[in-house]
Amino acid sequence: MSKPSPIVFLVDVDDTLLENDRIQTDLRCHIEREFGARCRDRFWAIQEELFKELGYCDYLGALQRFRVEHPYEPHLVTAANFLVDYPFANRLYPGALDVLERFREWGRTVILTDGDMVFQPRKVQRSGIFETVKGHVLIYIHKEEALENIEQRYPAEHYVLVDDKLRILTAVKKAWGNRVTTVFPRQGQFALDPKVLASYPSADVSVERICDLLSCDLLDLVPARPLAANQGRPSTPKSTLNYNKQTTTK
């Protein structure tokens, strides 16, 4: 194991950097246009079944299962091309890449996401995320169960985890305790679900939009932790965020 970095930022993709709800809407519309409303509903039912099994959206896997039920459907090729060639860069939340660039000024920044090993890497690459983080990308089936592997690959004295799912943030906080700052951008269907919000404790830091993190300084996210000597001094915080309390930056 290499020497631990002072800080490693771990950032989710779907509904954290990318507006996944809009991607789903576009996919629904495409399938309805190519196959009709009935097939659209059946495809989405398959996708929901896979989501329950895997814990992440496997659109290509759903398309494969849909193919078994419709082996002679000529429009399956266009549906596959739609997914593979989707313009993901158009679905980045405003300021998403700027946040990654800001994090990289402070420490190693790593994409930490769940997903399959075809569509998810394609999404990360075509959106510009891969290039922004210089290829530091981790893709797991259940990332909250891969913490030991994450620590081995990116050892750190302190982690900052940015994720739209309180379930993930809570699990990682339970495992790493004060070694991690959990950051909750309230974006997407999971982050705005009242039942989800009532089921889990608040994250260390909560913001309405990912771009709100641009108004934060390092000490807002990692209090009293200095930067490495070769990284210079952090600037004076513009706004201090309270821990163990839901907070929104302006």
Side-chain angles (χ1 to χ4, degrees):
M1 183 182 294
S2 59
K3 182 180 179 180
S5 301
I7 303 164
V8 169
F9 294 87
L10 303 171
V11 187
D12 179 47
V13 174
D14 296 320
D15 288 325
T16 299
L17 299 172
L18 282 171
E19 193 172 0
N20 198 53
D21 292 347
R22 287 191 65 184
I23 297 173
Q24 291 187 351
T25 297
D26 290 345
L27 179 57
R28 283 176 182 269
C29 292
H30 178 81
I31 292 177
E32 180 178 355
R33 183 167 58 250
E34 295 292 330
F35 301 95
R38 182 176 179 181
C39 286
R40 175 206 63 199
D41 293 342
R42 177 56 190 150
F43 173 86
W44 217 256
I46 294 173
Q47 194 278 134
E48 291 292 340
E49 291 171 5
L50 271 178
F51 181 79
K52 292 178 181 178
E53 291 177 19
L54 302 174
Y56 61 84
C57 293
D58 185 3
Y59 300 118
L60 292 178
L63 195 59
Q64 290 279 44
R65 290 194 183 184
F66 184 79
R67 181 191 184 191
V68 172
E69 297 181 6
H70 302 82
Y72 306 113
E73 175 55 62
H75 296 297
L76 283 169
V77 173
T78 65
N81 289 339
F82 176 86
L83 284 170
V84 173
D85 296 332
Y86 188 88
F88 294 104
N90 294 342
R91 295 294 174 257
L92 285 164
Y93 283 111
L97 298 186
D98 294 329
V99 169
L100 295 179
E101 292 283 7
R102 173 67 64 83
F103 286 170
R104 289 187 60 241
E105 294 175 2
W106 295 331
R108 176 63 55 81
T109 301
V110 181
I111 294 303
L112 177 61
T113 180
D114 294 337
D116 70 284
M117 290 308 297
V118 177
F119 188 63
Q120 198 69 5
R122 180 78 169 171
K123 181 189 301 181
V124 172
Q125 182 180 37
R126 285 181 60 85
S127 63
I129 294 172
F130 184 90
E131 181 178 1
T132 302
V133 298
K134 305 303 180 184
H136 294 289
V137 177
L138 298 176
I139 301 176
Y140 297 102
I141 297 176
H142 299 292
K143 56 191 172 186
E144 72 276 18
E145 299 175 4
L147 300 185
E148 183 176 347
N149 184 259
I150 295 169
E151 289 185 271
Q152 290 175 350
R153 298 182 67 173
Y154 293 99
E157 297 175 16
H158 193 87
Y159 294 94
V160 176
L161 174 62
V162 185
D163 201 296
D164 68 292
K165 296 179 181 62
L166 278 177
R167 173 181 62 82
I168 300 293
L169 296 174
T170 300
V172 176
K173 189 68 176 181
K174 182 177 180 180
W176 283 349
N178 291 332
R179 290 181 57 215
V180 62
T181 300
T182 54
V183 181
F184 178 48
R186 293 169 56 90
Q187 303 170 156
Q189 57 180 312
F190 297 106
L192 300 176
D193 187 332
K195 293 182 179 179
V196 172
L197 295 175
S199 300
Y200 297 98
S202 299
D204 293 326
V205 175
S206 179
V207 293
E208 293 301 315
R209 299 168 300 276
I210 189 70
C211 64
D212 290 341
L213 291 173
L214 292 172
S215 66
C216 297
D217 283 291
L218 180 63
L219 295 182
D220 292 324
L221 301 176
V222 190
R225 181 172 295 276
L227 287 168
N230 63 350
Q231 292 178 289
R233 293 175 174 270
S235 57
T236 302
K238 298 176 183 176
S239 60
T240 302
L241 305 182
N242 295 326
Y243 272 44
N244 301 318
K245 177 181 178 182
Q246 186 170 317
T247 312
T248 302
T249 60
K250 295 183 180 179

